[in-house]
Amino acid sequence: MTSLWIKDVRPWGGPATDLHVVDGLFVAAPAGPEAAVVAGGGRIALPALVDAHAHLDKTSWGTPYRPHSAGATLAALIDNERANRGDLGPVRERAGALLDRHIERGVLHVRSHVDVDPTIGLDSVAGVLAAAADRAGQVTVEVVAFPQSGLLTRAGTAELMAEAIDAGAHLIGGLDPAGFDGDPIRHLDTIFGIAADKNAGLDIHLHDRGTLGAWQIERIAERTKAFGLPGRVTIAHCYALSTVDDVRQGSLIELLAAADIALTTTVPGTTPQLPLARLMAAGVRVGLGHDGVRDLWSPYGTGDLLDKALMLAVTSGYRQDADIERTARLATEGGAAVLGLPDYGLEPGCRANLLLLPAESVVEAITQRPVDRTVIAGGVVVS
Amino acid sequence: MTSLWIKDVRPWGGPATDLHVVDGLFVAAPAGPEAAVVAGGGRIALPALVDAHAHLDKTSWGTPYRPHSAGATLAALIDNERANRGDLGPVRERAGALLDRHIERGVLHVRSHVDVDPTIGLDSVAGVLAAAADRAGQVTVEVVAFPQSGLLTRAGTAELMAEAIDAGAHLIGGLDPAGFDGDPIRHLDTIFGIAADKNAGLDIHLHDRGTLGAWQIERIAERTKAFGLPGRVTIAHCYALSTVDDVRQGSLIELLAAADIALTTTVPGTTPQLPLARLMAAGVRVGLGHDGVRDLWSPYGTGDLLDKALMLAVTSGYRQDADIERTARLATEGGAAVLGLPDYGLEPGCRANLLLLPAESVVEAITQRPVDRTVIAGGVVVS
């Protein structure tokens, strides 16, 4: 039996207390005299950050700076990546470097989309799974087999996605069934078919805005019910929801809630943010993701999910404490609900995955994002 | 004679070189053997950051965290501030604490709006000027006498603004002549009249969006010419420019350029960003400001202008290196042009105000914003 006594911390910025961990789980009873001690010093305790939308295979984290080389369209970005990704070095190393950064900042659960296509096959899936295995016990990684270069438009990809599940991937991905892949019904029927066959969940990129995206949300909701997958489907980005009128937005939210479809946002720079308060009120699960970190798509990203939470708060126009705290909930409990993490939280019985932050309040933790954090995974100090 | 030899730095991320400083100014000739040496270690050198729009008197920097206490409207925010500002402690201390943070991050020039109204009189102006004097040689502060609580709607304010100039303030402010103060022509005629009388520049807050704001930009341009103030007027925020149609935007930019009116942005969270490329092409001077830092208006802000540059880049949708670098230009040269700083830059003859950043490129400096910086003011290492 190993035990840990985390003294004088403030869960969610509330009153100071001690947290006790035995064999990796929080327990209600005080730790015994044999427990190792972490001096909290009045710091805030949050459950581990959850990055609900990452692309670990794409990152150049830990490698030299490269100027951005792509054009501005989605197709140009995808072509640029296929042309240049070979120069980046092994996925296992790059993904591992970013996971190390995640651990340092307290991001202990990650859902990563990983490219699958006929050129790279399952190599990137294997690389990300290996990087995660290298850090077992410190961070958990869910892999989504992602048809970045097209599903219908790139023959052999669907078969590879099914194989990816056999090789250890956890979910089936999708990408703009209409706007990018060109045949929304066939795209959706294909990925839902694979998911049902493999008993896997789905996580679908949907950038298509306005009515085109809204129409696809409705088709996804239909299939979620028809294939018996409520609670196991996520729509990523879902820009359509904030680019249709209020009435349509309300009816889409009802559909999402009824099919228990989760959403993830990565905080777009130039698209209105998701209507978070309305989604929460309807009971829709919403997670926060960092998206690409310093890759062939974008030079941005720090690996610190609190940077994204700040960006979300500012671009949502939040000033009130309760609103800003909502972004911290998304970065933790929201993502945990999207991933379906068992035993998540700071309560007795939960796995002791947490971070301690020197801040007076959760709002201050978001606005200042202090980097000197104590990170504990399974009751062990990992950073 | 004092001299400094700054070895192995990369100005603007270019090739490595040495910079030589004699009596506070960059010189072309190598420093002599008596020079003190700063080891650049290949870091990027940028000229000092310029915060072109601050509110030093309002900050709670260095004081305990306070929950946000205001309602959502502009009037509610202003009323909340008048009700609670007395609890914050002396302006000189709070403004000084924020200036110390600025110096640490390399912000060595600040233009601060400072509230003037019949209740506080010129106390806040005196407090900010004292905080600046306490740090003479390290940071320069321009003070704008700012009618935060109304000009026409609060009797006695205009007279106090004029007195503020006599007391050491540098510019005359204004605030939404139509949307807040209710009589745009009388508001503008009043502030332009004071500015002309006192031979002072003007810096006018204009949040009014769309056609209402556009109409006021036209009235400001007319008066800038009529009062002989081209080159001496700034419009802050200027949301109207990004919330009218393209044709109107173009004609407004022509007016701004013709009257040499500068703009400042503080990077709004939920309003489209200024059309920076179009403004640059027209030769309009644009500066970047941090706006309030942790005050009764907003819980946000770090005192690090590079955080604002990142926010500007992301919310402008920039991915290309040249676009992202534009935000660093705004944070330095752009602000220097707005403030009319003499001898600004890294060239021989310029005052040696600069910062060294551990980054491979300017883009990386913006995306990662390293905090371990060497800051030099007038050839002296100040942080």
Side-chain angles (χ1 to χ4, degrees), chain A:
Chain A
M1 191 179 86
T2 63
S3 57
L4 188 70
W5 185 359
I6 308 169
K7 287 187 176 175
D8 186 22
V9 294
R10 293 181 300 118
W12 288 101
T17 186
D18 294 354
L19 298 173
H20 302 282
V21 183
V22 173
D23 288 340
L25 304 180
F26 289 117
V27 295
E34 79 291 357
V37 170
V38 170
R43 282 178 290 173
I44 286 181
L46 295 180
L49 301 171
V50 179
D51 186 335
H53 186 105
H55 288 273
L56 292 173
D57 56 323
K58 296 181 189 292
T59 190
S60 70
W61 196 258
T63 74
Y65 171 78
R66 305 165 59 99
H68 188 65
S69 52
T73 66
L74 183 61
L77 283 157
I78 291 172
D79 289 347
N80 174 64
E81 180 172 55
R82 267 209 318 286
N84 289 295
R85 65 187 175 190
D87 304 340
L88 292 179
V91 168
R92 184 176 185 163
E93 286 175 23
R94 291 182 286 109
L98 184 53
L99 285 172
D100 288 340
R101 171 70 158 203
H102 283 143
I103 294 163
E104 179 190 318
R105 295 299 167 92
V107 180
L108 302 184
H109 305 283
V110 179
R111 176 182 286 183
S112 178
H113 298 255
V114 180
D115 290 6
V116 167
D117 68 44
T119 311
I120 49 168
L122 300 181
D123 289 357
S124 294
V125 168
V128 169
L129 289 171
D134 294 341
R135 292 157 185 83
Q138 296 185 47
V139 64
T140 67
V141 179
E142 273 192 358
V143 168
V144 185
F146 177 48
Q148 174 72 79
S149 294
L151 174 65
L152 308 175
T153 54
R154 202 158 296 267
T157 300
E159 294 75 7
L160 281 165
M161 287 164 63
E163 286 173 35
I165 300 293
D166 298 332
H170 307 84
L171 298 102
I172 295 296
L175 174 59
D176 287 328
F180 182 70
D181 217 30
D183 187 340
I185 295 301
R186 203 152 64 88
H187 184 108
L188 290 174
D189 285 345
T190 301
I191 61 175
F192 272 89
I194 302 171
D197 266 4
K198 295 290 182 185
N199 189 26
L202 282 155
D203 193 330
I204 305 165
H205 279 66
L206 186 63
H207 307 91
D208 287 334
R209 288 169 173 73
T211 53
L212 178 62
W215 178 82
Q216 291 172 88
I217 294 170
E218 293 158 356
R219 304 291 79 73
I220 291 169
E222 285 169 359
R223 280 162 185 72
T224 299
K225 291 191 168 178
F227 283 83
L229 289 167
R232 302 185 65 189
V233 176
T234 301
I235 302 176
H237 306 305
C238 205
Y239 297 154
L241 203 58
S242 56
T243 52
V244 292
D245 62 64
D246 274 7
V247 173
R248 186 79 180 270
Q249 184 184 84
S251 70
L252 292 169
I253 290 175
E254 278 179 34
L255 285 181
L256 295 171
D260 195 7
I261 294 171
L263 301 184
T264 52
T265 179
T266 64
V267 195
T270 58
T271 301
Q273 301 304 336
L274 291 178
L276 297 177
R278 199 172 185 180
L279 286 162
M280 307 287 105
V284 177
R285 294 170 290 133
V286 185
L288 180 64
H290 206 112
D291 213 346
V293 173
R294 199 176 160 161
D295 60 22
L296 289 163
W297 287 72
S298 156
Y300 301 111
T302 60
D304 186 351
L305 201 62
L306 292 188
D307 287 339
K308 276 285 179 183
L310 174 67
M311 193 74 75
L312 178 60
V314 170
T315 56
S316 294
Y318 293 159
R319 294 181 197 239
Q320 305 294 335
D321 287 44
D323 287 330
I324 296 172
E325 284 168 14
R326 184 182 297 128
T327 69
R329 297 280 171 182
L330 249 66
T332 54
E333 297 167 350
V338 173
L339 271 63
L341 295 175
D343 310 325
Y344 179 87
L346 297 178
E347 292 71 44
C350 295
R351 188 170 158 81
N353 289 348
L354 68 157
L355 67 160
L356 308 182
L357 290 150
E360 290 184 76
S361 67
V362 172
V363 168
E364 191 181 62
I366 298 290
T367 63
Q368 303 303 319
R369 295 145 291 129
V371 297
D372 48 332
R373 303 176 191 176
T374 297
V375 180
I376 297 168
V380 176
V381 176
V382 292
S383 182

